[in-house]
Amino acid sequence: MTANFDKPLTERMHPDGSVVSLRAYERAGGYQAIRKVLRTGMTPMAVTEAVKESNLRGRGGAGFQTGLKWSFVPRGKDVPDPTYLVVNGDEMEPGTFKDRFLMEQDPHQLIEGAMVAAFAIEADIAYIFLRGEYTLASERLAHAIAEAYERQYLGKNILGSGYSLELYLHLSGGRYICGDETGLLNALEGKRANPRSKPPFPPSVGLFGKPTIVNNVETICCVPHIINRGAPWFQGLGRTKDGGTKLFGVSGKVKHPGLWELPMGTTVREILEEHAGGMRDGVKFRGLLPGGASTDFIVEEHLDLAMDFASLGKAGSRMGTGTMIVLDDHTCPVGMTWNLTHFFARESCGFCTPCWSGLGWADRILKAMEEGRGKSGDLDKLEFQTKMWAPGHTFCALAPGAAEPVQSALKYFREDFERHIQEHRCPWS
Amino acid sequence: MAIVYVDNKPCEMNPEENLLHGCLSNGFKLPYFCWHPALGSVGACRQCAVTQFRDENDSHGKIVMSCMTPAAEGTRISIADPEAVAFRAGIIEGLMLNHPHDCPVCDEGGECHLQDMTVMTGHDYRHYEFEKRTFRNQNLGPLVNHEMNRCIQCYRCVRYYADYAGGNDLNAFALRDRVFFGRAEDGVLENEFSGNLVEICPTGVFTDKTLKQHYARKWDQQFAPSVCVHCALGCNTDAGERYGTLRRIVNRYNHEVNGYFLCDRGRFGYEFVNDERRFRQPLLKGQPASAASARRYLDEKIAQGRVIGIGSPRASLEANFSLRTLVGPDHFYSGMADHEGKLIRLMIEILRRGPVRTPTLGEIEKSDAVFILGEDLTNVAPRMALSVRQSVRQQPMEAVKKLKIPLWLDFGVRDAMQDAKGPLYIATLHGTRLDDVATATFHAAPDDLARLGFAVAHALDSSAPAVPQADDWPLANEIARALKGAKKPLVICGASCGSEAVIQAAANVAMAAHAALSFTAPECNSVGAALMGGKPLSAAFQAVRDGDADTVIILENDLYRRAPHAEMDSVLKAAPHVIVLDHLPNPTTEKAELILPAGTFAESDGTFISSEGRAQRFFQVCMPENEVLASWRWLKPDHWENLDDVLRATAEALPQLAAIRDAAPSSKFRIAGAKIPRSPHRESGRTAALVHINISEPKTPEDPDSALSFSMEGTPDQPPAALIPFFWSPSWNSIQAVNTYQKEVGGPLRGGDAGVRLFEPSPKNGQAYFSAIPAAFQPRENDWLLVPMYHIFGSDELSLQAPAIRELAVMPHVAINSDEFAEGMEVEVTLADGTFRLPVRIHREMPAGIAAVSVGSPPLLAVQVPGWGKIARAK
Amino acid sequence: MLTAEEIREIETEAEHYPKRAAVCIDALKIVQRHRGWVSDESVRDIAEHLGMSTTDVDSIATFYNLIFRKPVGRHVVMVCDSVSCWIMGYERIRAHLRERLGIEHGQTTSDDRFTMLPIVCLGCCDHAPAMMVDGDLHSDLNPQKIDSALEKYK
């Protein structure tokens, strides 16, 4: 059942994966949003209001209302100069591959979105913070930025409007915590990427102490379309109360792992069975992480829930990045949990105790368990650790994210953990 | 004050502070690590978790970090909530995962904040069964030991060292559960305040390496409240000894003076007390003599008359006064070189007359515009440099306040502030270690420094004399504007340039700007000695040369540091009898007929007056061994029995010093009838100390001079600030116990901080501007103007005797800006006093025609600087 | 000593920031791109060039995964060991590489040709398992594809 709906994010993309050139982007209606903003005398506040009205929510995982965040930026003459827009292209959440897709295939969409967003918050300088491993994306973005400068879409006095914007591409040194909003700011400042405590919030004290907005790549990509086609149109794209489309993905032992632009609120089942083709022959579904490594497992009974910001809360989970990781019945849940925990433990920045100490401990417990050296009491220790990692208990969201797969695995696959302990081996190996 | 409910109990808390601060100030036992009253909150360790409730009806609450939550009116929290209790125990468990079982062999044991917090949370069982991460330690130099396996990653060390003290060779490396705190490679920690790491670190990662050479547990040491003897700032310390060996110096909190920190010279310079070359018995004509025979000899010489006494700016007021009484005021001479004495007296006069006021070190931190004229603070008055470094944050704080960021939110404040700094202008001869936070620096000869000062004063107040040919000096105008626009402007000056004009210029600036005025002075009792008076030192030498003195008594003073070598040789040779009281051999003691073993600060009681004009008492840590005696006890008249008698006599004879009696309670002071024990109540081995000499338990030595006892027996109550030998409270064995002595954590000690300020002029006092403006410095063709240069490690007589300090001491050299010489080249410097061979260090910031020479350590102990001399390449 | 080219590249990046110290990570990556890894000497050189202390620069360098503070072979093979690749066969890939190259994670072949390291999710989860060699992404891996992919890296 392929319904007819708009796919603003991907409609210009080429099936062979080659990049949408500047000319192709313009021919398809690109750079009209920025023209509209600059030439029809829209004020920054008006652009902000339009995005606010669209109810666009951040697609990096947190889901904060984008327009509302933009409205927190102080404006006017007394505001310390410059204001910054930072695009978070540090996609490192395991199982997540949507931003790479957007940046590699249609870089100008991101650039235009960044321009409109920068204008809306009266930013003078914008950075795209790109993870260092995304080599192809960095080449294509660098090229696209150069093209945009040449066409005078960037730099001084854009399109004769008097608005100036510098856009720089920064490649990260490589650390998951750079994807955290304030960790990113520290990384961009050339420091260790420890996150910052909030308050103060980036719109008040951000990059180099100046007002700053950090937005995810996918979020920014939505912006030109909202301006071009209006907030009600954007709202109407979604099936539930969240508006817009979303890039949803599936990885794991399904027939067609992939990425699809679908209406916000599409059900888990539709994505899994219709687009990803369901499980491969010979394996059965056991559960999935709906939105990357730091989301809680959901199981069969939850498959009809909508993928949007709120609905998965009923299952004790969340949409996260919207890219699902599927667990099949031939894959060990303990091994999967260990793999996830090992990732988080390795990426801990080392600032707050429950994270740097507790994740390391959980990593070692799960490794021992998987290798047949689990002990009774291990599950209690793991459960206690997940409580230590609850939001508010730690300095940032990394450890609370690590808690999600562990606590839900213990809930849904407890017998598998117990078998490892009792049988002194991994039954799957 | 705000009302915060803690476990339903209403408590008063400062709403500008955070909940942790409030809970600790209210005496709650709330564990924490990464927060520090001087460093603020960062929220790293998560140890201080409490449960916060929305309102009275919320029975579940959520965990918050008390150090990161404002103590707002109406806040409701619980410390005892089971979830918070379990969480805090879980944090300790997390910290102990990788922590080695080192307690029995760890120097921190017994005063370890990690131990205390572990006990406080109730966590007591190791469930972790995997390997611990380990590190290779670094050799960080002779002062601070490094044992990284013990680290709990609280980040206090790097926050203190880099953010607070301005060091850039200590940082965090790697991440997750194996963060390493150290240097890029092994090497001496470069920052002059590195020693505070041993108190900042809550575990045994950074410990006192000098203590390690002769280790004793805190509970086993005998302590006394003391005052640092290595500069004139008078930082408060506690000295700890065991079995007659001084083991270490720790910071004694004084809100107005040193706060939580000392400099490395003060912390580690004490080893001279233990030097095996110490005089432990009198030496009469080179032979050991009994105390009785020494006294007989002394009495004989006194009886014979024509005795003069030379005092000392490093000896206590009591010692100086006893000498003065013994020889009579007409025969008592200042122990300072004439010129230096003149400068000190000038500074004192300026501060006494007013209207400018001299601030405390604590107040210096809060200054929002500072002008340093002629002083290399880091090397001359180090603790003041640390305060000035904090002061440049004051003005930018205003912008931070507008953003409504609480000032205790350390990283939030720093992110908001970025590199903004308040005005700090440093005008010295050569570059200083504060230059990195200066708005502008100006390097010139002393006369030109003075001219700058006079020009600033004139720019502030046209009635102050103008500097000829320098009417509109842009830098002077800029400095004037900065001082004028500040709420708490400060001028800092001192005697280091050897220039009266510089001091007078600073006074003019302070008066014109209505600013505070701080003077530095060379030695721990320079100001006290100057107030005591005494005839000029040169007159003493003349008296000897004229044959008017048969006996010269020299008190704790190596005169070879006061006058040229040749002159001292001839004076001391001419004196028929030379009696010296001192601790260690020096060129002066070589010439003495009788040497009386003088007690150091660790073996004596006494009073110093700091450069702030604060009279502070220090107390002996132990009974001296053998015949060592406090100098005043060697010299006093028989009818003075104890320290109080000396103080009374001093106050009567010298009314300008009367207030010194109030520096500490008298020997009669008791708390509920009991004395104050010098030792913690768990001290062990006191009665067994002499068992190898005599099996019978000796009587506890009595201390007639103070309210302290040489014992662990006495009052368990907190003594007044001047009498605190060590900080300890139930559950708080570490230095964090200081919290329990303060009314509000981070604030003054309960009952007031130690010391009495002598200079509090009325702001209404008028004082005429000084008007003797020197001409501009003119370099000479073949001569160089030589000016003294001081080194924190090297220029101070006593600390240089400590092996660790000697290891760090800068090799004496000539600092010069010249193409004639190359870096490292050996040159011969010829002055009136002689020719000295020194290596060259090129300083491009220095003006032409002028060179700075290291003073205070051989070969340049007492050069007549400033003075003209020649510099030539050595053959 | 930094080469003129390295300095030129660093200064180009430095123009993007209001503070010199902010280009530190870019500087480390630039030097690494030229030399393969960042030595102690390079850390000192970068520190001097940026007016920072060696300790501060190394503190930053040792935080980041993509900055190598130890020598590496001519080519760096980064094998994704995150969850999707793990589900789709990371262990087999790693075993194959271990066998073909004769090294474990963190080691370099004796001929200095390859260094093998683990890497976090490469954003290639729908074509797992994946690896990155010198910045080139190789996906849908199996032993044959690995062998032929490695061929071109001499």
Side-chain angles (χ1 to χ4, degrees), chain B residues 137 285 318 395 409 477 560 583 656:
Chain B
N137 299 318
K285 301 192 176 104
E318 292 82 349
Q395 241 180 50
L409 193 64
N477 294 336
Y560 283 81
H583 326 304
Q656 71 268 28

Side-chain angles (χ1 to χ4, degrees), chain A residues 26-232:
Chain A
E26 282 175 323
R27 265 193 266 112
Y31 288 109
Q32 289 308 311
I34 191 64
R35 279 187 166 80
K36 182 172 177 183
V37 161
L38 293 179
R39 294 225 170 119
T40 64
M42 281 182 86
T43 62
M45 219 39 220
V47 178
T48 303
E49 283 303 317
V51 171
K52 225 172 166 179
E53 204 194 314
S54 75
N55 200 25
L56 170 67
R57 293 176 63 169
R59 273 105 164 97
F64 197 86
Q65 292 184 318
T66 308
L68 183 61
K69 189 150 95 168
W70 291 2
S71 71
F72 293 148
V73 175
R75 293 140 200 274
K77 311 189 269 62
D78 295 328
V79 174
D81 241 18
T83 297
Y84 292 103
L85 172 75
V86 179
V87 180
N88 187 345
D90 193 63
E91 179 173 68
M92 285 177 81
E93 183 75 30
T96 307
F97 47 102
K98 61 181 182 71
D99 295 334
R100 180 171 74 84
F101 186 70
L102 288 166
M103 289 187 284
E104 282 181 0
Q105 310 253 351
D106 199 353
H108 282 286
Q109 175 177 231
L110 177 60
I111 291 171
E112 187 182 12
M115 292 168 62
V116 175
F119 178 85
I121 63 167
E122 299 185 36
D124 312 85
I125 298 176
Y127 294 92
I128 296 175
F129 186 96
L130 179 62
R131 66 176 289 198
E133 296 89 336
Y134 278 3
T135 324
L136 185 57
S138 81
E139 281 162 13
R140 291 183 175 181
L141 268 171
H143 182 75
I145 291 171
E147 284 184 312
Y149 264 101
E150 229 183 324
R151 289 281 272 118
Q152 291 173 347
Y153 286 133
L154 288 169
K156 303 256 176 289
N157 195 14
I158 297 169
L159 298 174
S161 65
Y163 177 60
S164 301
L165 179 69
E166 302 296 337
L167 174 62
Y168 302 123
L169 179 62
H170 170 93
L171 263 49
S172 121
R175 214 77 253 178
Y176 171 64
I177 198 65
C178 292
D180 172 277
E181 177 184 51
T182 55
L184 188 157
L185 294 179
N186 276 337
L188 197 45
E189 289 189 18
K191 302 176 180 160
R192 293 163 64 90
N194 288 6
R196 300 176 182 176
S197 62
K198 295 185 280 202
F201 292 87
S204 168
V205 179
L207 188 63
F208 302 114
K210 297 286 160 44
T212 306
I213 288 289
V214 182
N215 280 135
N216 172 261
V217 163
E218 192 182 356
T219 312
I220 292 292
C221 286
C222 293
V223 169
H225 309 293
I226 292 170
I227 296 301
N228 280 333
R229 292 152 87 160

Side-chain angles (χ1 to χ4, degrees), chain B residues 826-843:
Chain B
E826 293 259 312
V827 293
E828 281 180 353
V829 178
T830 306
L831 298 152
D833 326 324
T835 299
F836 308 94
R837 198 180 164 110
L838 296 165
V840 162
R841 296 234 188 131
I842 301 294
H843 275 243

Side-chain angles (χ1 to χ4, degrees), chain A residues 92 97 100 127 131 133-135 168 170 172-175 189-193 208 251 280 335-336 339 346, chain C residues 16-18 22 26 29 59-60 63-66 81-84 86 88 119-123 125 132 135:
Chain A
M92 285 177 81
F97 47 102
R100 180 171 74 84
Y127 294 92
R131 66 176 289 198
E133 296 89 336
Y134 278 3
T135 324
Y168 302 123
H170 170 93
S172 121
R175 214 77 253 178
E189 289 189 18
K191 302 176 180 160
R192 293 163 64 90
F208 302 114
S251 65
R280 277 198 205 162
M336 181 170 173
N339 179 284
R346 211 166 54 183
Chain C
H16 299 174
Y17 308 104
D26 303 279
K29 294 184 78 182
S59 163
I60 293 160
F63 185 85
Y64 290 98
N65 195 30
L66 297 177
D81 68 350
S82 290
V83 65
S84 301
W86 177 83
M88 301 304 283
I119 188 76
V120 303
C121 178
L122 289 168
C125 318
M132 180 162 269

Side-chain angles (χ1 to χ4, degrees), chain B residues 347-380:
Chain B
M347 299 192 311
I348 291 172
E349 197 46 32
I350 290 168
L351 294 181
R352 271 168 58 178
R353 263 201 284 152
V356 294
R357 186 180 166 277
T358 189
T360 67
L361 279 178
E363 286 166 341
I364 289 179
E365 274 186 35
K366 302 284 184 245
S367 306
D368 59 347
V370 180
F371 176 34
I372 302 177
L373 190 60
E375 289 300 305
D376 176 8
L377 286 183
T378 310
N379 284 305
V380 168

